[in-house]
Structure formats: structure tokens, C-alpha cells
Amino acid sequence: MITATGVMDNESVYRNYSEELTRYATGLVGPFDAPDVVTDACLKAFEGRSWPEVVDRRAYLYRTVLTVAHDHHRRTLSRRMREMKSASPDQIPDPTASIDLEVLDAVVLLSVQQRAAVFLTYWEDLSPDAVAARMGVSVGAVKRHLARARKRLGEILS
Amino acid sequence: MSREEKMRDLMARLASMSPEPPPFPEETPMARHQEPRRARPALVFAGAAALVIALAVPLLIFTGNGEPEVIATTTTTSTIPTTSTTASVTTTTTDATATTAVVLPTWSRPVFLYQAPVSSFVGNPALVPVWIEVSPVDPDVEFTEALAAVDDDLPDGLENAIPSDVEILGLRFEDGVWIADMNEAFLAGAGGLLADMTMLNQLIYTLIYPLPDAEVLFTVDGQPVETFGSEGLMLTEPVGRDEFLDQAHVINLSEPIVETDDGWIVRGRANVFEATLALNVLDGSGVVTHEEFVTASCGTGCWGEFEVTLDPDLIVPGESSIQLFQHSAQDGSAVDVITVPVPAGGVWSVTLGN
């Protein structure tokens, strides 16, 4: 819904971006915790004092998702992976979900920021400038994150 | 499949695992709880003194030859001393708290300052470490206080980008990372992106010295810094000496200029054309008394290490200066010049408390 001032209300903003934000959060924290991260990030953004003045709300939400993902305990995904591997099939939270353990094993090797840079570069096909803007960091930082990610994923990629 | 294609494939497989978006968040989810704000480290330590909690605080003590010696000691002080060059370390005990504190008679160590480029259009600030000795004896001195104190008494041509109100409230070393808990003034940076990065370079290089592969994690109130300085730099991960090096000058020193048995050692890192830089020794009047070429281990787009040993007779401490530069690829003129004075005795003395 567009308000009289031409600004989308929060629910409309959420409807527009929730799917891609969830996908982005999946790239950052894995599929198990992505919905929580998105919910938390959106609430944090909507309740923020600066939210009404934000011009590029999509970019702002992406940055908030990254921040919340980083706040997420770093080892959460590793722990989830261990639980998944040791659990019997009927104990897996959502047995219908297609969980690619090989991919998650690789993602665990990266920091949250490296995951963000890699995801935005190779899934969203954004340029380093656009990735930097989306992450709220410098272009140099994006290149460093990508270089480090490639290094950490060296064996998997070779 | 190329590496790039494999990356795309990896991300495509990851994206395909994305679950359905959650419903519009109308109510506060369980996840949205705030951790209680941590008390400032200084207060924690003050409280700890009363409770006589024994904390093993590794102190990095610099011995006379500059080599670090890690001393594990039991202490509950209101300050975490950082570094010092002292011949001896005295341990005292206070009756009221029955705690022990390491008293550092003299605060002395290499500190990275910067030299502004000749023109801000053609270069960035150069990192120049100098050995600084701070007196009088003050066990509560934090090294950022000392950095602030040197503002009025800086060596010629060198400046300090760290604002005087920035302090390190706590410092500890874990798995190759110095965790520096800063006060809130740190978050404001130094006023401008380049100044912010120069400030960070100064702090990183000073903290990790002499361990080049160590990193620094900056925290405020115990939490990693998410927004720093005028441009909101994210500092949530440890940063090493290369993190902001591209925002420094193309010629930087990595060690204070010191005299050894072999002569005066000039050591640094440079990213110059064909890895070649020039070194001049200037006398007190600015006249060139010696010149030579120096080759770095890498150049023209990469950072290389360089080291020169100068004959002791070439330098008059307190008068001479070392000038480093490269020759312009266009016209051969001297460009990217830095000039570092050689202090008498190799150490700049700074008096604290005025």
C-alpha cells in the first residue's frame, strides 16, 4: 500500500523484498535460521528512528540483514551442521527441505561478510561497486572478502 | 568448470535451499531479545578488585632489545597496562584489596605516527614508527594517553591522527589477535575517511608490533565495531597490517630507525615502480651527504619489503634525516618523498602530565 506521501508502508516493503532477503539470509546463515534473521532484521529496521527517512529501503534492509546475521552466533551454522549429521532423518526439522550438506560445509568455512560478498557477487551478479553499496563497505573491502573467500574455498574450487 | 563457474554453482545450490519467507513480523519474535549491556571494562576491573578475582592477564613486556616477552601474571588492576620497555618489572600489593599490580616505571615502545604527503593530491600519509619513551612514571598510563601526549612534542615532520579523547580501555591477546576495547570516542574516527584509515593504520601497526602477522579486533563495550568513522566502516572482524595499507603512502617504515652493531637499519614496505626506491641521508642543514638505491622484494602494484644498513659514520643522531622516495617514471624527478629525522639516542622522549 502506498501512503499519501508516496511511501510504501512496511507491510508492502516486506512483501516486495522478503523473498530475496530470505534468500540472502540463507547465503549468510544457512536455511535453518534465515527466516529468524529476516524477521529480526525487518523489525529492527522498521522500528529504527531513521527508517522513515531512508531513501533506498532495499539496500538498507540488506545491510540490516547482514548486521543481524553477524550478530547471530558465529558457530550457529556449524552447530546446526553437526546436529544434522548426527540426527536420524525423522529428527531433521523440515525433512521436505532439500538440504545440500556439501554446500553448507563449504559455507561454514567463510565469515559472514565473506558469505555476503560471495553471494551478492555470484548469485545476485552485482558488480563490486554494487556489492560494496549493498554491504555498506568499501570496494576494496569487497575485493578482500572475495579474495579471502576464494582462498578458503581453494580445495573445493580446485 | 572454472573456479568462477564453481562459485556460481555453489551459490546457486545455496540459494535453492532458501526457505519460504517468514510472515510479516507484526509481533516481536523470540529472537529479538537484547543482551544486557556490558559494563565498561574499567568498572568491571574496579569491581573485580573488591572481589579479589584472580585474572591471568598476559602482559607483553618489551625487553631492552625489543623482543617481546609474554609474562603471565595474576592481577586485578583498574588498568590493563599495555607495553613498556623497562629493565625490571615491580610487583606491588595493596592492603585494601589484596591485589597485585604490575607497575611500569617507564612507558617506552615503538609508536607509529604518520607523515603527511607533500601534496594531498599525489599521495597518502606515510606510516613512520618512532621509539618513544614517556615519563614520568605512571602505572595508569595507557599508550593511547601517551599518543595523545605526544601531540605537543612530536618529532619534526611527524603527526598523530589519533584524537586525544580516544582511549583503549582494555587489551588482551587471543590466538594471534589483539582485542582492543576502545572507548566510545573511537567510533567517531578522526574526521574524514583518509584520517580514519590513517588512525586505524597507526593503531593496528602500533598494537601488533613486533608481530607482523597478528591482527587487531576493535570492540566498544565488548562488542565488535559495526560502524566506525565518517564513512561507517565495518570493523567486525580482526584486521591486520594489510587491511588499510593501500590507503597509506607508497613508502612506509615498519621499524624505527635504530643503530645496531652493523650500522643504522632502515626497514619498511613499499609499493613503488619496478620495486626501486632511492635513499638519501641529509645532514642537519638538509644537504645530501649520501645516496643509494634500494630494491624492495616486490613493486609496481604489490607491496615489497626493503631493508638497508647504513654505515654508522653516515648518521649523526639528532641532526641527520633519512629521505626515501622513488623517481618519477615520467621525468625522473623525486616523488613520494618521506623524510624521517634520526633522534639523538634513537628515542624520542616525551613528558606526560602537564
Side-chain angles (χ1 to χ4, degrees), chain B:
Chain B
M1 193 185 288
S2 70
R3 285 166 65 94
E4 297 292 298
E5 286 169 338
K6 283 181 181 172
M7 287 287 252
R8 285 185 198 288
D9 177 60
L10 203 63
M11 288 304 108
R13 287 160 66 188
L14 183 59
S16 71
M17 284 188 269
S18 179
E20 286 293 313
F24 178 65
E26 290 177 297
E27 293 182 8
T28 303
M30 277 199 315
R32 189 168 171 72
H33 69 273
Q34 294 285 328
E35 284 190 12
R37 193 176 172 85
R38 290 190 187 183
R40 292 165 68 91
L43 298 178
V44 170
F45 277 89
L51 295 171
V52 197
I53 301 169
L55 300 173
V57 179
L59 299 176
L60 191 63
I61 306 295
F62 286 79
T63 56
N65 61 6
E67 293 300 316
E69 177 188 349
V70 176
I71 297 177
T73 181
T74 301
T75 178
T76 50
T77 69
S78 58
T79 329
I80 300 178
T82 53
T83 56
S84 174
T85 324
T86 58
S88 62
V89 175
T90 310
T91 302
T92 60
T93 303
T94 58
D95 293 338
T97 60
T99 61
T100 58
V102 176
V103 176
L104 307 173
T106 305
W107 188 100
S108 177
R109 62 158 301 155
V111 167
F112 282 75
L113 301 171
Y114 79 90
Q115 184 166 92
V118 176
S119 162
S120 59
F121 294 107
V122 294
N124 288 338
L127 289 166
V128 178
V130 292
W131 200 278
I132 287 184
E133 182 178 83
V134 180
S135 61
V137 174
D138 183 350
D140 291 332
V141 159
E142 296 287 354
F143 91 81
T144 46
E145 279 185 58
L147 278 178
V150 302
D151 278 350
D152 297 330
D153 202 9
L154 287 172
D156 286 345
L158 300 184
E159 297 175 53
N160 180 12
I162 304 171
S164 58
D165 56 348
V166 171
E167 290 177 29
I168 294 181
L169 302 176
L171 189 65
R172 66 182 195 277
F173 192 66
E174 287 180 6
D175 298 330
V177 177
W178 281 105
I179 299 168
D181 199 42
M182 313 297 291
N183 66 347
E184 290 203 3
F186 169 78
L187 298 175
L193 185 59
L194 187 58
D196 291 347
M197 291 185 169
T198 303
M199 167 185 171
L200 288 173
N201 272 331
Q202 274 189 256
L203 282 169
I204 293 166
Y205 274 73
T206 301
L207 281 169
I208 67 172
Y209 184 90
L211 308 170
D213 295 328
E215 293 183 306
V216 180
L217 177 65
F218 293 103
T219 62
V220 171
D221 283 341
Q223 301 299 311
V225 174
E226 291 178 356
T227 309
F228 167 80
S230 56
E231 299 289 321
L233 292 175
M234 194 183 269
L235 296 175
T236 50
E237 294 198 5
V239 285
R241 64 174 185 161
D242 291 337
E243 195 72 24
F244 304 109
L245 190 56
D246 287 338
Q247 281 72 46
H249 196 57
V250 294
I251 303 169
N252 302 282
L253 294 186
S254 53
E255 299 272 352
I257 298 172
V258 292
E259 187 176 19
T260 68
D261 291 343
D262 298 326
W264 289 87
I265 309 290
V266 181
R267 189 177 288 147
R269 299 176 83 197
N271 180 357
V272 291
F273 181 64
E274 293 185 340
T276 302
L277 57 159
L279 180 149
N280 287 349
V281 177
L282 311 181
D283 68 11
S285 309
V287 175
V288 177
T289 56
H290 172 79
E291 51 190 340
E292 64 180 90
F293 284 100
V294 183
T295 304
S297 58
C298 195
T300 321
C302 62
W303 288 95
E305 314 275 344
F306 66 87
E307 181 177 327
V308 188
T309 304
L310 297 167
D311 192 282
D313 297 339
L314 294 173
I315 305 285
V316 181
E319 293 183 15
S320 302
S321 298
I322 306 290
Q323 197 170 60
L324 291 158
F325 58 94
Q326 66 173 328
H327 288 289
S328 164
Q330 289 181 330
D331 58 14
S333 61
V335 294
D336 301 321
V337 182
I338 63 170
T339 307
V340 183
V342 180
V347 174
W348 295 99
S349 291
V350 174
T351 304
L352 260 189
N354 22 18

